[in-house]
Amino acid sequence: MLDFNPLYSTPQIAAIEQFIDQHYPLAGPVSCQMLQRGLNDVYLAVASNGERYVFRLSHRRARGPADVRTETAFLTHLAQSGIPVAAPVPTREGTLFAEGQAPEGVRQAVLFRAIEGRKPDAADAGDARANGKTLALLHNAAETFQPDGALYRLDLEHLLHRPLARICDSGVVEDAEVRNDLDAIAARTAQAIEAFANLTWTYCHGDCHGFNARINDAGEAVFFDFDDGGPGYLAYDLSVFLWAQISFGRKSTAMWDVFVDAYRAVRPITPDDFEAAHRFVIVRHIWLMGEYASRAQEWGREAVGWIAREANFLRRWETERCVDRLF
């Protein structure tokens, strides 16, 4: 019999419930429902006393395994510092994550307390303001966090060069001229970023696009989904919110202005970091393209075919918003 070698398996819900009951001191039995499947598997877990949690089973990605040790340490530091975040729940053994064996290998698991509140509205200035404030508070708290042994650094190698290689290696972009354009845009972007002498380094959320949060009754943005975080460029962490305003056909930067003003009310942004954020929009987009390109065998070429069309967006952003910032 042929032995298939799976890239990605999906556990039965009953197995997830058993795993949580085994590893976490919740009021059992726990009842679960899958919320999403993809970059990670995410489940709503409800204990028998009605308490709600979110269980995340990490997917092994092209970058390597999830850095749950550093991620959960940072989240605990933020929660202890009074920053509104979804804190990890300790296991019965006192660790902040667990591991389980899947057909494709070991997968890391984290249980979080569910966040109360509503989803942010892309056009709501109050929500943009809340996101900017929480990110600034996060960066303030990051100054007293030591990410000892972090698996990933959010530098240009991690965010730009390796994702670009994944795009090219995947075969998704068949047109040699488009690949050459992507190479040239990436090279100019890296050169422009490296020309800044004093970019701030911090511990990044890594995915602060405005929707990895819930707006609570106090109007605060409570952050979650730190899976792409790590020590890196503060300008990149800022840029993700701007990128979300202008990518995939969106063109308004009004909420970016509100977000930046709210951030600056808590913490200053250096001129270099602010200017570099516009360049990091390109880095962010290539990073996302690389993430999807690395999934071509798993999701299928049609699901990631949009990547071949994205050079147009990158060219336009570079021409309209970055040319004056090159030198």
Side-chain angles (χ1 to χ4, degrees), residues 227-282:
D227 186 42
D228 289 311
Y233 290 105
L234 184 144
Y236 174 73
D237 228 15
L238 293 172
S239 78
V240 176
F241 194 90
L242 174 57
W243 165 83
Q245 305 297 305
I246 51 82
S247 58
F248 299 108
R250 299 177 290 258
K251 296 181 179 179
S252 172
T253 59
M255 293 303 102
W256 161 248
D257 295 333
V258 173
F259 172 87
V260 166
D261 286 346
Y263 186 102
R264 284 177 166 151
V266 174
R267 175 188 175 92
I269 302 174
T270 70
D272 276 3
D273 287 333
F274 183 73
E275 292 299 313
H278 293 77
R279 275 287 171 183
F280 271 109
V281 166
I282 293 174

Side-chain angles (χ1 to χ4, degrees), residues 35 44-45 51-54 75 83-88 112-120 205 211-217 220-226:
L35 298 177
L44 173 66
E51 291 184 351
R52 292 157 57 89
Y53 302 85
V54 172
L75 280 167
I83 313 303
V85 295
F112 303 92
R113 298 194 182 280
I115 305 171
E116 300 302 323
R118 61 174 176 81
K119 294 181 179 179
H205 177 283
F211 302 102
N212 281 330
R214 290 292 179 267
I215 307 300
N216 65 17
D217 290 342
E220 298 175 308
V222 186
F223 280 7
F224 60 88
D225 200 4
F226 284 69

Side-chain angles (χ1 to χ4, degrees), residues 309-321:
R309 302 185 293 272
E310 292 305 298
N312 293 328
F313 162 71
L314 297 172
R315 287 191 214 100
R316 186 169 61 252
W317 179 257
E318 182 183 41
T319 301
E320 295 177 359
R321 300 301 296 266

Side-chain angles (χ1 to χ4, degrees), residues 285-312:
H285 206 66
I286 291 176
W287 171 85
L288 184 71
M289 292 162 65
E291 280 291 303
Y292 273 72
S294 71
R295 294 312 216 305
Q297 288 190 44
E298 179 186 327
W299 294 344
R301 286 175 60 93
E302 290 193 6
V304 300
W306 59 270
I307 294 169
R309 302 185 293 272
E310 292 305 298
N312 293 328

